[in-house]
Amino acid sequence: MKNIILLFLILFCTMNANAQVDSTLFKDTPRDTLAEDTMNMDAVYERPFFQAGTSPVSVGGYIEADYQYIGEDGITEGHTFRVPRFTLFVGSSIHPKVKFLSEIEFEEGGNEIAIEFAALDINFFPMVNFRGGIIMNPIGAFNQNHDGPKWEFVDRPIAMTEMLPATWSNVGFGLYGKRYVNDWAFGYEVYLTNGFDNSIIANGENKTFLPAAKENFERFEESNNGQPLITGKLAVKNQNIGEIGLSYMGGVYNTFEDDGLILDEERRLDVFAIDFNTFLDKTNTYITGEWAWVMVDVPETYGQQFGDRQQGGFVDIVQPVFRQPLAGFENAVLNLAVRLEYVDWNVGTFRETGANISDDLWAIVPGVSFRPSAQTVLRLNYRYMQQQDILGNPAAKIAGIQIGISSYF
């Protein structure tokens, strides 16, 4: 109910503002003033915003809608239309060195409403910036750079959303900074936040499943065990080569003590990730990828279907094949694209037989995308995926088409 009230308040304020301000006074909000070029860590501010007159408040957002017809082993549930997410941004430049930004996301037609980001940034020096509030933990690149209009594929990468819990945000504080030297840029981020909980192993998926922790909204109010989750990232970018980032997220996840009563030993969760992106100048090809490793201290009382190690990632290759004015759009672009992805939810072998524990999938997603402008994308994807169960039985074959549209506004 509180979320619905919040939605109506936002819509009311937006409508009221529009009624009072001449639309010709709206203008683009200046971008992040910390740098001339951007890295993945800047994604939260590198979005189109609009500002009314001299007001310090700016607004923006994006919407995604899609259609899919997908079947598994020849059986399909038919045609499906969705609005997986509708997101609003509200930002404010309180001072030239003090900024606030919030991101409120309405998922599955408004069935789920979440504040994914609501943080205050204070810039002391380019290398020392303080951030506090609800932040997006910088594990990998997709978690921070997840806006739908930026991607050529209808679905988000499986490894980043079903193994890692993107989009994963939490309450906490930390520091970040960047430095530029000629063609090079160096950036870092480090945050302490509330963390995961027992649900990553005690969940309805019957396996180790980090996204289950997203259902615990109490993490925005308190830590379940009093232990901070540490998230840190180092990234380097060359203007002529690309960007690579190394990140880590870890901490105690379980409730091991309650009012002085020891319930369990402290059990850790550790995640490592590497991400990269580059642009091949000779062929105008964009390549983006990310890979992550998850390690979880699973109690011996749990069955072997609960993996203590997981890994997975994706690579996107996007090739523009048409770039010229079309139908009134001055910078229309047609892309061919393909995504390769893999996830292994249980790395290891059975203790009794030494046989491989499967529980994995791979997918290939070729597609075509059309961008009438840089901020809007029409997508046609064909998804083919094979998924094995824990025993390695013949893989389920999943295939179908997906059509989607996404745009900033």
Side-chain angles (χ1 to χ4, degrees), residues 69-122:
Y69 185 84
I70 290 182
E72 178 175 340
D73 292 333
I75 301 175
T76 176
E77 295 183 355
H79 306 275
T80 299
F81 298 87
R82 305 182 305 165
V83 177
R85 55 193 61 86
F86 165 61
T87 300
L88 290 175
F89 313 135
V90 179
S92 178
S93 295
I94 301 167
H95 178 276
K97 304 184 76 170
V98 180
K99 296 179 293 186
F100 169 79
L101 179 67
S102 63
E103 177 180 345
I104 302 172
E105 188 160 287
F106 305 85
E107 297 182 342
E108 305 299 341
N111 190 42
E112 295 183 12
I113 303 175
I115 300 176
E116 293 200 335
F117 188 89
L120 194 65
D121 287 11
I122 302 176

Side-chain angles (χ1 to χ4, degrees), residues 362-384:
W362 63 264
I364 179 170
V365 189
V368 178
S369 68
F370 174 67
R371 290 184 177 273
S373 71
Q375 298 176 2
T376 303
V377 59
L378 287 160
R379 305 176 281 217
L380 170 62
N381 298 162
Y382 176 77
R383 171 170 289 277
Y384 181 79

